Amino acid sequence: AEIATTADVFWPHMQRSRRVGLGDREGWGAIWDEHTEIAQAVLAGEEERAAALAMQHAESAGETTHRRLKDR
Protein backbone atom coordinates (compact mmCIF):
# COMPACT_ATOMS: atom_id res chain seq x y z
CA ALA A 1 0.00 0.00 0.00
CA GLU A 2 2.86 2.40 0.77
CA ILE A 3 4.40 1.91 -2.68
CA ALA A 4 1.07 2.55 -4.39
CA THR A 5 0.49 5.73 -2.37
CA THR A 6 3.95 7.05 -3.20
CA ALA A 7 3.66 6.07 -6.86
CA ASP A 8 0.30 7.86 -7.16
CA VAL A 9 1.86 11.12 -6.00
CA PHE A 10 4.77 10.96 -8.44
CA TRP A 11 3.06 9.20 -11.37
CA PRO A 12 2.33 12.34 -13.46
CA HIS A 13 5.96 13.48 -13.10
CA MET A 14 7.24 10.00 -13.96
CA GLN A 15 5.06 9.89 -17.07
CA ARG A 16 6.33 13.28 -18.28
CA SER A 17 9.92 12.21 -17.67
CA ARG A 18 9.41 8.95 -19.51
CA ARG A 19 7.96 10.76 -22.54
CA VAL A 20 11.06 12.96 -22.70
CA GLY A 21 13.45 10.05 -22.13
CA LEU A 22 11.74 7.85 -24.70
CA GLY A 23 11.47 10.61 -27.28
CA ASP A 24 14.08 9.01 -29.52
CA ARG A 25 12.86 5.66 -30.82
CA GLU A 26 16.38 4.65 -31.83
CA GLY A 27 17.24 3.98 -28.19
CA TRP A 28 14.20 1.84 -27.43
CA GLY A 29 15.95 -1.46 -28.23
CA ALA A 30 18.74 -0.76 -25.76
CA ILE A 31 16.25 0.32 -23.11
CA TRP A 32 14.26 -2.91 -23.43
CA ASP A 33 17.52 -4.88 -23.36
CA GLU A 34 18.35 -3.21 -20.04
CA HIS A 35 14.87 -4.00 -18.68
CA THR A 36 15.26 -7.63 -19.76
CA GLU A 37 18.65 -7.91 -18.09
CA ILE A 38 17.28 -6.46 -14.85
CA ALA A 39 14.29 -8.82 -14.91
CA GLN A 40 16.52 -11.84 -15.58
CA ALA A 41 18.72 -10.94 -12.61
CA VAL A 42 15.64 -10.57 -10.38
CA LEU A 43 14.21 -13.91 -11.50
CA ALA A 44 17.57 -15.59 -10.98
CA GLY A 45 17.67 -14.30 -7.42
CA GLU A 46 20.73 -12.16 -8.15
CA GLU A 47 19.70 -9.28 -5.92
CA GLU A 48 22.95 -7.33 -5.96
CA ARG A 49 23.31 -7.62 -9.72
CA ALA A 50 19.68 -6.62 -10.26
CA ALA A 51 20.10 -3.62 -7.97
CA ALA A 52 23.28 -2.53 -9.72
CA LEU A 53 21.68 -2.87 -13.17
CA ALA A 54 18.56 -0.99 -12.05
CA MET A 55 20.66 1.81 -10.57
CA GLN A 56 22.75 2.07 -13.73
CA HIS A 57 19.59 2.14 -15.84
CA ALA A 58 17.95 4.81 -13.68
CA GLU A 59 21.05 7.01 -13.69
CA SER A 60 21.43 6.71 -17.45
CA ALA A 61 17.74 7.49 -18.01
CA GLY A 62 18.00 10.50 -15.70
CA GLU A 63 21.04 11.82 -17.54
CA THR A 64 19.35 11.35 -20.91
CA THR A 65 16.19 13.11 -19.72
CA HIS A 66 18.21 15.99 -18.24
CA ARG A 67 20.20 16.40 -21.46
CA ARG A 68 17.08 16.41 -23.63
CA LEU A 69 15.32 18.95 -21.41
CA LYS A 70 18.40 21.24 -21.53
CA ASP A 71 18.55 20.99 -25.32
CA ARG A 72 14.91 22.04 -25.84
Side-chain angles (χ1 to χ4, degrees):
E2 293 296 323
I3 293 173
T5 301
T6 302
D8 283 346
V9 172
F10 292 104
W11 190 251
H13 174 69
M14 291 170 54
Q15 288 295 91
R16 284 191 303 274
S17 296
R18 285 179 49 202
R19 277 193 291 277
V20 171
L22 295 173
D24 179 8
R25 290 180 182 248
E26 286 184 29
W28 286 11
I31 291 167
W32 285 115
D33 289 346
E34 290 175 9
H35 286 200
T36 299
E37 194 172 2
I38 293 165
Q40 288 172 341
V42 169
L43 293 173
E46 300 172 347
E47 296 173 17
E48 290 182 18
R49 182 169 176 265
L53 290 168
M55 183 64 73
Q56 181 180 20
H57 174 72
E59 288 175 355
S60 175
E63 290 168 1
T64 298
T65 301
H66 180 258
R67 185 176 61 252
R68 288 186 179 159
L69 287 170
K70 270 183 42 181
D71 291 346
R72 283 185 167 193

